[in-house]
Amino acid sequence: MAKKDVNKEVLNIGFGNVVVRSRLVAILVPGPNPVRRMRDEAKKAGRLVDATHGRKCRSVLVCDSGHLILSAIQSETLCQRFEAVPSDPADS
């Protein structure tokens, strides 16, 4: 698979970590109580992935598998990255 294809399929969530775009269900702000409960339940069930590298959690990514991924990147930034799929020069 060529590098340009990989960029369309994955989302950079910071510190060299990536998530497959097609597996994402939601990108949430970690503050509200329902999100905190989701985090606690995922941690107990072994479905929590911490990709913050020791920094403050600024977004929670929900995957279709039920896993939650914590990121130190703002949810707004991740949404912008998600929407900004690199264009393929061959499509022009």
Side-chain angles (χ1 to χ4, degrees):
M1 182 180 328
K3 185 173 177 115
K4 61 186 174 204
D5 295 332
V6 172
N7 287 337
K8 289 184 177 183
E9 296 176 8
V10 296
L11 174 67
N12 181 348
I13 61 168
F15 307 107
N17 299 304
V18 294
V19 176
V20 178
R21 290 173 184 265
S22 62
R23 302 298 302 264
L24 286 178
V25 175
I27 299 173
L28 306 173
V29 177
N33 283 333
V35 177
R36 288 184 188 160
R37 281 192 294 274
M38 287 173 59
R39 276 176 66 171
D40 292 342
E41 290 172 10
K43 187 172 184 177
K44 287 178 188 175
R47 294 181 286 113
L48 184 68
V49 178
D50 187 350
T52 61
H53 286 255
R55 291 174 174 78
K56 181 179 177 181
C57 177
R58 299 199 182 270
S59 60
V60 178
L61 293 87
V62 182
C63 296
D64 60 358
S65 63
H67 287 79
L68 296 183
I69 303 169
L70 308 180
S71 175
I73 307 296
Q74 292 281 351
S75 57
E76 294 86 5
T77 303
L78 291 177
C79 288
Q80 289 171 353
R81 290 179 184 180
F82 187 84
E83 293 172 353
V85 177
S87 61
D88 188 356
D91 292 341
S92 300

